[in-house]
């Protein structure tokens, strides 16, 4: 069953046998958001993959980070001739050493990019033209607690990628965190922690395992079988 926000709250209260007086919508909302963040930080998923295009500004090495960005996968630059190249990621100290005079008139086609702060990332050299860039990144997904977005189908009533496809993972993780909030019983915390970890492992196997391979390129997955040597047949 795909989870809406109301379905999830109902199941958490039913599994724990604790009503809305203690587990209010506000409390369960916080637990749900914390749970989603835990899962989001644990496993990179196709749910969060996003692509944005923009143009660099001539004589300006700073690029504004998208507001929903969690992490960058790659940056691709297209020059005036349509040639595409990937920028190489470097840390700010490398950028400072490689390009020690960024405020001068020494401009060229960028080769590197790096994180600068929570608002900007930086390229080097400073761009001499308004090159087109494509940013592939992992974005902040909508929370199941969101009653407004997406505007065409709010997550709270229509579900999310996680709640619609991986209900067991979301439920077990919420129950683990809920029993932690209730301070026990200890055996239930331990049980749902184990169930959560098992569900997270299988989720990771699919997201960064099966969905990252191709039978043509990688071959079919086979399980190794133990078999006896023919010479051992008939022996005791």
């Amino acid at each position: 069953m795909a989870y809406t926000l109301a379905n999830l709250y109902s199941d958490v209260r039913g599994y724990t046998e604790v009503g809305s007086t203690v587990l209010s919508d506000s409390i369960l909302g916080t637990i749900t958001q914390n749970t989603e963040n835990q899962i989001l930080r644990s496993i990179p998923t196709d749910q969060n993959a996003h692509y944005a295009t923009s143009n660099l500004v001539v004589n300006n090495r700073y690029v504004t980070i998208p507001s929903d960005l969690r992490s960058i996968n790659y940056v691709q630059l297209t020059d005036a001739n349509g040639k595409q190249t990937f920028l190489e990621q470097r840390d700010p100290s490398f950028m400072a050493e490689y390009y020690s005079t960024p405020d001068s008139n020494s401009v060229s086609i960028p080769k590197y990019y790096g994180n600068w702060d929570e608002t900007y990332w930086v390229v080097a050299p400073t761009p001499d033209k308004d090159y087109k860039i494509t940013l592939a990144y992992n974005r902040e997904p909508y929370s199941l607690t969101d009653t407004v977005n997406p505007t065409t189908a709010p997550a709270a009533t229509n579900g999310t990628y996680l709640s619609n496809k991986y209900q067991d993972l979301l439920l077990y993780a919420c129950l683990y965190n809920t029993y932690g909030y209730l301070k026990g019983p200890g055996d239930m915390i331990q049980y749902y922690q184990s169930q959560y970890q098992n569900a997270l492992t299988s989720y990771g196997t699919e997201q960064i395992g099966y969905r990252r391979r191709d039978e043509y390129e990688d071959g079919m997955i086979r399980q190794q079988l133990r078999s006896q040597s023919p010479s051992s047949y008939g022996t005791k």
Side-chain angles (χ1 to χ4, degrees):
M1 178 187 73
Y3 271 130
T4 64
L5 187 63
N7 295 149
L8 179 63
Y9 286 2
S10 177
D11 273 6
V12 170
R13 289 172 180 141
Y15 275 71
T16 59
E17 298 182 336
V18 177
S20 59
T21 303
V22 175
L23 294 179
S24 64
D25 285 0
S26 176
I27 294 298
L28 288 184
T30 300
I31 290 174
T32 301
Q33 288 179 315
N34 289 343
T35 297
E36 290 172 324
N37 280 326
Q38 286 176 336
I39 296 171
L40 174 64
R41 291 192 297 266
S42 297
I43 305 291
T45 73
D46 294 338
Q47 166 200 14
N48 307 325
H50 191 65
Y51 305 88
T53 59
S54 182
N55 287 87
L56 297 176
V57 178
V58 178
N59 295 325
N60 185 354
R61 63 177 180 149
Y62 297 101
V63 182
T64 302
I65 293 175
S67 60
D68 60 352
L69 183 143
R70 294 293 293 247
S71 61
I72 298 174
N73 293 327
Y74 65 82
V75 179
Q76 189 179 54
L77 181 146
T78 304
D79 66 17
N81 297 319
K83 180 181 178 181
Q84 296 179 328
T85 57
F86 288 95
L87 300 187
E88 299 177 29
Q89 186 182 35
R90 295 292 187 270
D91 58 44
S93 60
F94 174 92
M95 306 283 272
E97 180 180 11
Y98 167 78
Y99 197 59
S100 58
T101 56
D103 296 326
S104 70
N105 292 326
S106 177
V107 294
S108 185
I109 183 169
K111 182 177 181 180
Y112 303 107
Y113 80 94
N115 294 314
W116 186 256
D117 57 25
E118 74 279 6
T119 306
Y120 299 99
W121 48 278
V122 65
V123 297
T126 299
D128 59 340
K129 297 179 182 178
D130 59 343
Y131 299 104
K132 177 183 176 181
I133 56 170
T134 299
L135 176 66
Y137 67 97
N138 294 313
R139 66 177 175 179
E140 183 83 31
Y142 293 116
S143 170
L144 186 61
T145 61
D146 196 329
T147 59
V148 177
N149 297 302
T151 54
T152 56
T157 52
N158 290 272
T160 63
Y161 179 80
L162 183 65
S163 73
N164 288 334
K165 294 181 178 293
Y166 306 96
Q167 304 92 333
D168 59 331
L169 173 60
L170 181 60
L171 175 63
Y172 292 146
C174 282
L175 287 170
Y176 167 54
N177 287 325
T178 300
Y179 275 112
Y181 170 78
L182 296 171
K183 299 178 177 61
D187 59 336
M188 299 305 292
I189 293 177
Q190 185 176 8
Y191 173 75
Y192 282 114
Q193 181 183 28
S194 175
Q195 293 295 96
Y196 163 49
Q197 290 299 329
N198 288 339
L200 186 66
T201 297
S202 62
Y203 176 66
T205 299
E206 179 177 311
Q207 290 294 320
I208 57 178
Y210 295 134
R211 294 177 72 97
R212 298 292 189 271
R213 58 177 289 116
D214 177 88
E215 285 188 0
Y216 179 76
E217 294 289 339
D218 304 310
M220 294 181 64
I221 298 176
R222 293 178 172 84
Q223 182 175 353
Q224 186 175 5
L225 300 177
R226 296 182 62 184
S227 60
Q228 290 182 323
S229 170
S231 61
S232 65
Y233 293 162
T235 61
K236 294 185 179 180

